[in-house]
Amino acid sequence: MHILLTRPLEDCSEMIIKFQSLGHKVSHLPLLSIKKILHEKINLSEFKGIIFTSSNAVRFLNLNGLDKNIKCFCVGNATEKEARGQGFSNTIAAEGNVLNLKELILQNFDKTEGKLIYVSGENISVDLDNQLQNEGYDIKRLINYETVHNEKFDDDFINRLKLDMPDMVYVYSQNSASSLLKFIKLNQLEGLWMSTNLMCIGEKTSAKLNEIKWKKIFLFNPGEEEFLLYKI
């Protein structure tokens, strides 16, 4: 099976190796680049809990002054793995869904315990901090990275892709979906995806690619990628 992965290499290198070890052909089309944002200085010792909605948020955070034993809420297993690699020991992970993450926070962090800090990228699909504020939590959002659309791609890669279109393509965000649609139109690939299964996180992501004719569209949560191989 030919699989196309679209995340930055640091976010999908393990998956590439895993799929290749299972005998699949893997192509990599990084639609987005991640860049660190210099943010205001914050006294991290003031906070009693921390929230991460991506691995990048963990990677780009200066952890000086932060107690790594505090409750650490992660959106999914990959983010939790990154947090544990950075020394966090008291982690709680949702199943790749921000709304599930909110419920975990409500269940495991009483608003009287103290302040929360929510570390994220510039663009988010759910305003988790505002929702928690509405529940009475004292929470600060810290933006420490931005997502940039890649616009230049290797011509040889595009020509190889035209000759061997993937059986599956994984898309992880609305930003990625917009970038993929732009890539498809720019390279006149609109009519080549009818044998390709589109795997998207959420309906809003898949909706951005509805004008392309796909074999089938599947919705999934992070961590289910390998399981989806056996559904088609």
Side-chain angles (χ1 to χ4, degrees), residues 51-66:
I51 305 167
F52 294 115
T53 48
S54 76
S55 300
N56 294 310
V58 184
R59 289 190 197 108
F60 293 127
L61 181 63
N62 184 339
L63 299 173
N64 292 337
L66 181 64

Side-chain angles (χ1 to χ4, degrees), residues 169 171 180 196-200 206 209 214 216-219:
V169 54
V171 182
L180 178 58
T196 300
N197 293 286
L198 174 65
M199 311 302 192
C200 284
S206 66
L209 292 161
W214 306 92
K216 287 184 179 179
I217 297 177
F218 295 87
L219 303 182

